[in-house]
Amino acid sequence: MLFENGRKRGDTVSGYKVAILGASGAVGRMMVKVLEERNFPVRDLKLLATERSAGKKIDFHGEKLTIEVAHPDQFKGYDLALFSAGSSVSRSIALEAVKRGCVVIDNSNAWRMEPDVPLVVPEVNPEELENHRGIIANPNCSTIQMVVALKPIKDRFGLSRIIVSTYQAVSGTGLRAIEELKSQSLHMLNGETKEPEVYPYPIAFNLLPHIDTFSENGYSREEMKMINETRKILKDPKIKIAATAVRVPVFYGHSESIYIKTIEPAEVIEIRQVLSKAPGVVVYDNLEKLQYPMPNLVEDNDQVWVGRIRRDLDEDCGYHLWVVANNLRKGAATNAVQIGEELMKRGLL
Amino acid sequence: MLFENGRKRGDTVSGYKVAILGASGAVGRMMVKVLEERNFPVRDLKLLATERSAGKKIDFHGEKLTIEVAHPDQFKGYDLALFSAGSSVSRSIALEAVKRGCVVIDNSNAWRMEPDVPLVVPEVNPEELENHRGIIANPNCSTIQMVVALKPIKDRFGLSRIIVSTYQAVSGTGLRAIEELKSQSLHMLNGETKEPEVYPYPIAFNLLPHIDTFSENGYSREEMKMINETRKILKDPKIKIAATAVRVPVFYGHSESIYIKTIEPAEVIEIRQVLSKAPGVVVYDNLEKLQYPMPNLVEDNDQVWVGRIRRDLDEDCGYHLWVVANNLRKGAATNAVQIGEELMKRGLL
């Protein structure tokens, strides 16, 4: 028996001591699942959350682990911590964990734009990990899938412009939003109404062009994240990016309608070829066979699916793509675990 | 009693003899409702459809009208026919109706791009009606709401570029699609699966970047309609337009994320002012009060709602808008009835 309630059994066992903060949430639970699926070498897994979730149990490799209340000393002796709490929790506790010797991979917005914090998508900019000082930021879900699809195109043809409209699943908001979409849908189908609790307006059979809060320039913070994080990850502060972020009544899987301008002209078939060889990408783009990415295709996988690749009809170097990925997996938990794997590979853990 | 089963009662009664082809469908039923709501001066309403729907009854001003089987002679003596049948039916029967003295307002794709057929949105290009030869085409739903929002901007600041991503409701496909979304949602919420019948893939809690069929250039016909029809309606064959059309699990109301480039620079407040005075437009754009257009706001109205108006952060003359309208109303039935009203006003009926 290797794991039990975060306590280590036997010093000779190899692997890392891993803690997950926010383990009871949608992303936290997925982190546990992905660590298991990918056989990340864990010799001790500690699950942490607020008092409200303490005592809940989560399966890991066949064992029931109990969630404990998070406090700084919980990270003592741990090698790696995956954080999926809010930004304010991350701000207050991440440095405490680092001080105690832990490398933190943080899924919140707290550290992403700090100049000395690497913001990493392993398929795109793994080399940034070399400079880490204890905290590594996991990008926003919508950003991750976009840069996985666009980086190979940028490397081959250059990239000067991105205009993206998103179609984002409710699981990005969390478990309560998943419940809200379920119960609201049932109520509406029965001709009843139910006051929304998680979102300001009904999400069932509706859409909200509103993700996170709004900033003064008229953009939502989600839209600004996509703009700023993409520039940082692609190391191109001048790339022109605009985003419109929209919440849709889908449980899992974010979709993105993306317009790009490359610097060198490309044939559509060349873009398809480049993407076909790109890590983490599935080109699913055969209109005769009605093959195009959809959220229901990404429920159980970690790939970024790209389809509807076509040339703009009016502009040289203009192209349109449709990109779908599981926001809890590649957009959050899987990317975090992949960062952990990359740290291992590079001897940085 | 003025109306009964399409037969005229008393020659002295004023008003027009109106026929609706495809009266049993989602748009056809809405046409009946909108004629009633707007008090269109009907002295005789005849409802037509295929044999499958003949005998069904539909209320109009408190009377139950029975749907009859469509054939060319049904249009004899009628002033106006609103067509909402498929393209092939329109192609085969519209000229027959015109031959019998009827003005046809056709909601299908059959005639829209014919050079001598006016393609009209009354708020945008009503003057085109003057040249009609019997058939007037009602534009595609997604096109209508876009041009209502963009024409006032074009008139004031010029317009050189449109990139639009749509979020289209299932009612655009018809009554069977509404039923499919309902029953599929219920099944999925109960953990059951149900084979899709109307769409090639599940639409409940999913999205399909696929509306109408695909053409060889990689665009769907829906996307090409938006491109070609917008150019015709705005009388600007050179305007650069790209579209990505996506079906979403919403019953009523199409949404559009639109990027535009104007020719003259504009302040956002000027765009808001121009749109506030524009016919048929509601500017609903106050982020502090969380006011932005959503499909659930347009269920019972005919306006085109515009919000999230903001400046592109990188490009002069670049702006982003979010536009929502009821696809069965302004996107179809209401626009057709408004064309009828405009014909009346101009003495063309």
Side-chain angles (χ1 to χ4, degrees), chain A residues 161 163-167 181-183 185-186 188-190 200-202 204-210 214-215 217-220 223-224 227 231 238-246 248-253 255 257-259 284 287-297 299 308-315 320-322, chain B residues 161 163-167 181-183 185-186 188-190 200-202 204-210 214-215 217-220 223-224 227 231 238-246 248-253 255 257-259 284 287-297 299 308-315 320-322:
Chain A
R161 182 66 163 133
I163 297 175
V164 55
S165 297
T166 72
Y167 303 64
L181 175 56
K182 273 185 196 163
S183 68
S185 299
L186 272 174
M188 286 186 61
L189 290 167
N190 289 322
Y201 304 106
F205 310 112
N206 195 31
L207 308 169
L208 283 69
H210 171 190
F214 288 107
S215 44
N217 64 1
Y219 286 75
S220 67
E223 290 157 359
M224 292 311 299
I227 293 169
R231 285 191 175 128
K238 287 188 181 158
I239 194 167
K240 294 178 181 174
I241 314 182
T244 299
V246 180
V248 295
V250 165
F251 290 111
Y252 304 102
S255 305
S257 169
I258 305 178
Y259 162 79
Y284 195 65
L287 299 181
E288 272 179 40
K289 294 183 180 169
L290 298 187
Q291 289 178 345
Y292 38 73
M294 294 179 290
N296 73 345
L297 294 173
E299 271 173 30
R308 298 296 323 274
I309 306 168
R310 61 207 192 280
R311 181 188 283 286
D312 189 82
L313 299 174
D314 298 307
E315 281 183 280
H320 302 270
L321 304 89
W322 175 253
Chain B
R161 183 64 162 133
I163 297 175
V164 55
S165 297
T166 72
Y167 303 64
L181 175 56
K182 274 185 197 164
S183 67
S185 300
L186 272 173
M188 286 187 62
L189 291 166
N190 289 322
Y201 304 106
F205 311 111
N206 195 30
L207 309 169
L208 283 69
H210 171 189
F214 288 106
S215 44
N217 64 1
Y219 286 75
S220 67
E223 290 158 358
M224 292 311 299
I227 293 169
R231 285 190 175 132
K238 286 187 182 160
I239 194 168
K240 293 178 182 174
I241 314 181
T244 300
V246 181
V248 295
V250 165
F251 290 112
Y252 304 102
S255 306
S257 170
I258 304 178
Y259 161 79
Y284 195 65
L287 299 182
E288 274 179 38
K289 294 183 179 167
L290 298 187
Q291 289 178 347
Y292 38 73
M294 293 178 290
N296 73 346
L297 295 173
E299 270 173 30
R308 300 292 327 272
I309 306 168
R310 62 206 192 279
R311 181 188 283 286
D312 190 83
L313 299 174
D314 297 307
E315 280 183 283
H320 302 270
L321 305 89
W322 174 254

Side-chain angles (χ1 to χ4, degrees), chain B residues 264-305:
Chain B
E264 304 287 330
E267 295 296 326
V268 165
I269 195 167
E270 291 177 301
I271 293 179
R272 257 191 221 119
Q273 278 165 357
V274 163
L275 288 174
S276 298
K277 292 175 197 153
V281 173
V282 176
V283 175
Y284 195 65
D285 190 21
N286 185 325
L287 299 182
E288 274 179 38
K289 294 183 179 167
L290 298 187
Q291 289 178 347
Y292 38 73
M294 293 178 290
N296 73 346
L297 295 173
V298 302
E299 270 173 30
D300 284 314
N301 61 71
D302 293 315
Q303 276 73 45
V304 174
W305 296 55

Side-chain angles (χ1 to χ4, degrees), chain A residues 117-137:
Chain A
V117 171
L119 180 67
V120 173
V121 179
E123 294 89 341
V124 176
N125 62 342
E127 67 283 357
E128 293 296 314
L129 292 173
E130 300 287 344
N131 308 316
H132 88 79
R133 300 175 176 197
I135 300 177
I136 296 134

Side-chain angles (χ1 to χ4, degrees), chain B residues 333-345:
Chain B
T334 301
N335 198 71
V337 173
Q338 285 174 312
I339 290 173
E341 292 168 349
E342 190 70 30
L343 286 169
M344 264 187 342
K345 212 174 83 183

Side-chain angles (χ1 to χ4, degrees), chain B residues 58-312:
Chain B
I58 292 180
D59 269 6
F60 182 62
H61 282 305
E63 299 217 26
K64 286 212 181 307
L65 305 186
T66 305
I67 297 179
E68 301 171 44
V69 178
H71 59 82
D73 280 335
Q74 292 273 30
F75 297 97
K76 216 147 99 182
Y78 278 74
D79 304 301
L80 179 67
L82 306 179
F83 275 35
S84 179
S87 292
S88 57
V89 176
S90 281
R91 282 236 168 256
S92 71
I93 210 167
L95 289 173
E96 297 296 326
V98 172
K99 231 185 269 174
R100 285 161 180 82
C102 210
V103 173
V104 173
I105 301 171
D106 181 46
N107 194 48
S108 83
N109 191 37
W111 304 95
R112 289 177 186 154
M113 296 312 295
E114 293 291 325
D116 59 355
V117 171
L119 180 67
V120 173
V121 179
E123 293 89 341
V124 176
N125 63 341
E127 68 283 357
E128 292 297 314
L129 292 173
E130 300 287 346
N131 308 317
H132 89 80
R133 299 175 176 197
I135 300 176
I136 295 133
N138 207 37
N140 178 259
C141 43
S142 313
T143 308
I144 291 176
Q145 68 183 71
M146 186 162 82
V147 295
V148 167
L150 297 188
K151 176 61 164 28
I153 298 173
K154 181 180 195 299
D155 285 348
R156 177 78 156 70
F157 304 105
L159 198 60
S160 61
R161 183 64 162 133
I162 304 169
I163 297 175
V164 55
S165 297
T166 72
Y167 303 64
Q168 295 182 230
V170 298
S171 53
T173 311
L175 293 172
R176 283 182 63 226
I178 295 173
E179 280 313 307
E180 178 145 307
L181 175 56
K182 274 185 197 164
S183 67
Q184 221 174 55
S185 300
L186 272 173
H187 276 86
M188 286 187 62
L189 291 166
N190 289 322
E192 301 157 11
T193 55
K194 192 168 182 268
E195 280 303 301
E197 290 172 14
V198 176
Y199 298 112
Y201 304 106
I203 182 65
F205 311 111
N206 195 30
L207 309 169
L208 283 69
H210 171 189
I211 298 187
D212 206 331
T213 53
F214 288 106
S215 44
E216 292 209 340
N217 64 1
Y219 286 75
S220 67
R221 282 181 222 284
E222 181 80 359
E223 290 158 358
M224 292 311 299
K225 284 179 215 164
M226 293 187 76
I227 293 169
N228 295 325
E229 293 180 20
T230 299
R231 285 190 175 132
K232 179 168 175 176
I233 295 166
L234 296 180
K235 289 169 225 167
D236 186 351
K238 286 187 182 160
I239 194 168
K240 293 178 182 174
I241 314 181
T244 300
V246 181
R247 187 73 68 191
V248 295
V250 165
F251 290 112
Y252 304 102
H254 287 359
S255 306
E256 296 177 346
S257 170
I258 304 178
Y259 161 79
I260 55 168
K261 278 201 89 168
T262 58
I263 292 165
E264 304 287 330
E267 295 296 326
V268 165
I269 195 167
E270 291 177 301
I271 293 179
R272 257 191 221 119
Q273 278 165 357
V274 163
L275 288 174
S276 298
K277 292 175 197 153
V281 173
V282 176
V283 175
Y284 195 65
D285 190 21
N286 185 325
L287 299 182
E288 274 179 38
K289 294 183 179 167
L290 298 187
Q291 289 178 347
Y292 38 73
M294 293 178 290
N296 73 346
L297 295 173
V298 302
E299 270 173 30
D300 284 314
N301 61 71
D302 293 315
Q303 276 73 45
V304 174
W305 296 55
V306 184
R308 300 292 327 272
I309 306 168
R310 62 206 192 279
R311 181 188 283 286
D312 190 83

